Amino acid sequence: MNRKLFLLALCSILFALWLPAAGAAGDGKPAELPQVPETLNSPRATMGSFLHAMNDIKRGMPDRIGDAAATLDLSEINPLVRKERGSDLAWMLLEVLDRTRVIDLEKIPDRTGGKPYLFHAYNNGAVQISRVKDGRWLFDRETVKKLPLVLDELSAQERVKGTDKDRDFLPWHIRFRQSLPPSLKQAPLLLENWRWIALFIIVLTGVAADRLVSFILRTLVRHWKRRTPEPEYQKISDQILRPLGLMAMAIIWWLGINLLGLPESAMLVLLVAVKFLASISSVWAAYRLVDLIAVRLMRRAEQTESKLDDAL
């Protein structure tokens, strides 16, 4: 009897769940897509949104980089590094546009449907704006993928819009790379030669910072232990603040890796590793600081007659 009741209840629940879905599927109405923002509803709107956002950044509004990156189809980029990579790609795109031709928005189609709008075709790729499934017009995935190669192709070409002062707004790695000889731009093993050299320097700098911070903190702890009148603190290890050195190393590695503009695969591996190191050092630092707090609390507990607080 109980089994029959259970089966009856299960069937009732499944029927209740199926009924609304069946009604929705059988009403003959297609599912509604989210409303397309006016800033991305046509090739002209998307190009205008991108240019306005980048110009606002030059006027002192750095937060607009997110609006500029929103005009790029970044769906194939891992979400863990999408923000950093999107920012770099937006600046690359602006450099490509400025080195191609002066843009007249009135000549860009304002249609909401149809085939992609081709801005320009280069030897190493093309810049075009395509309509994605949800109705937005974005600089498509193929454009995003080929931007570094296209920028390399145009690196020796003069700007047709803007001045050399606009170069100061570019990310450091783009400016630095443009001044390098071709030999350092070669990539015999995953990364370009100059990036391997920069990574080596960043790693050494982080290790040196770890040793320096650890030495300074160890010296300060020893000095504090000699001056404190509390005997309980003499048992504390001189290395109690050692994890802060690792945190300093992780911060330097984090900043350095973000400066290099690494490819997505390399950035994903390295940034995840640095985040893991920062997490481990934070937990370790908290664990060590618990020892310091415990000594203080134990000293106060011993001053009372009750044994409850000692146990706590």
Side-chain angles (χ1 to χ4, degrees), residues 84 127 179:
E84 294 83 359
V127 172
S179 62

Side-chain angles (χ1 to χ4, degrees), residues 26 38 68 85 95 106 139 143 152 246 255-256 270 280 300 311:
E38 293 183 1
R85 192 63 180 155
E95 275 290 281
E106 296 300 323
F139 292 96
T143 296
D152 273 349
L246 291 178
L255 296 175
L270 293 176
I280 292 297
R300 296 187 61 182

Side-chain angles (χ1 to χ4, degrees), residues 13-56:
I13 293 173
L14 293 176
F15 180 75
L17 293 175
W18 171 82
L19 188 59
D27 59 7
K29 296 180 181 179
E32 293 185 1
L33 292 174
Q35 186 175 2
V36 179
E38 293 183 1
T39 54
L40 301 173
N41 64 0
S42 69
R44 181 188 300 177
T46 297
M47 180 68 78
S49 299
F50 174 77
L51 295 177
H52 293 329
M54 298 305 289
N55 287 330
D56 285 344

